[in-house]
Amino acid sequence: STTTTRDIAIMYSGTEKGRPTIFEIEVGQVDRGAPLRWVSQYPGEDEIVMPPLSNLEVVGDAHMEDTPKGVVMVIPLRINVNLKSLTMDELQGRRKLLHISMMQNLL
């Protein structure tokens, strides 16, 4: 899950157990996700859904940040959307056509 609100991210980072970690994601105009606030059961969380075929790239060194909930590891990332890759539906459609053609050749 992603959010635009840092306090929400820290709240869900697991500060009560283990090593709390949040990803600080840098986005561009093309790679920007869509807000889910208008359909969310928890609109105050400002959730964002990322586009399909998105890749996350680490763009800097992780650092520790002191927060009111405790120390959290912050990892800076950049999101990249692969606009040239086929979607799962397109891949399945291609595969279906391949199988149909193969069967027609056998008959």
Side-chain angles (χ1 to χ4, degrees):
S1 180
T2 56
T3 179
T4 58
T5 308
R6 190 174 199 83
D7 291 340
I8 298 295
I10 291 168
M11 181 176 76
Y12 283 107
S13 69
T15 53
E16 298 81 30
K17 53 188 170 184
R19 178 176 291 191
T21 304
I22 61 172
F23 297 136
E24 189 172 70
I25 303 173
E26 173 187 326
V27 297
Q29 289 297 319
V30 174
D31 305 324
R32 188 173 38 183
L36 296 177
R37 181 180 205 141
W38 64 281
V39 294
S40 178
Q41 183 175 354
Y42 305 103
E45 293 183 0
D46 288 327
E47 287 182 279
I48 301 289
V49 64
M50 293 302 168
L53 307 172
S54 295
N55 299 298
L56 296 173
E57 174 186 358
V58 177
V59 293
D61 294 329
H63 62 275
M64 303 307 279
E65 186 175 302
D66 200 13
T67 71
K69 291 267 197 179
V71 178
V72 174
M73 180 187 295
V74 178
I75 302 173
L77 304 173
R78 178 182 308 124
I79 189 163
N80 295 304
V81 177
N82 186 344
L83 298 174
K84 295 184 179 182
S85 290
L86 299 176
T87 65
M88 291 303 292
D89 290 337
E90 291 169 328
L91 288 171
Q92 286 176 339
R94 272 191 176 184
R95 191 73 167 178
K96 181 179 178 180
L97 288 175
L98 177 70
H99 287 287
I100 290 171
S101 296
M102 185 174 68
M103 290 305 294
Q104 288 173 345
N105 286 337
L106 291 174
L107 300 174

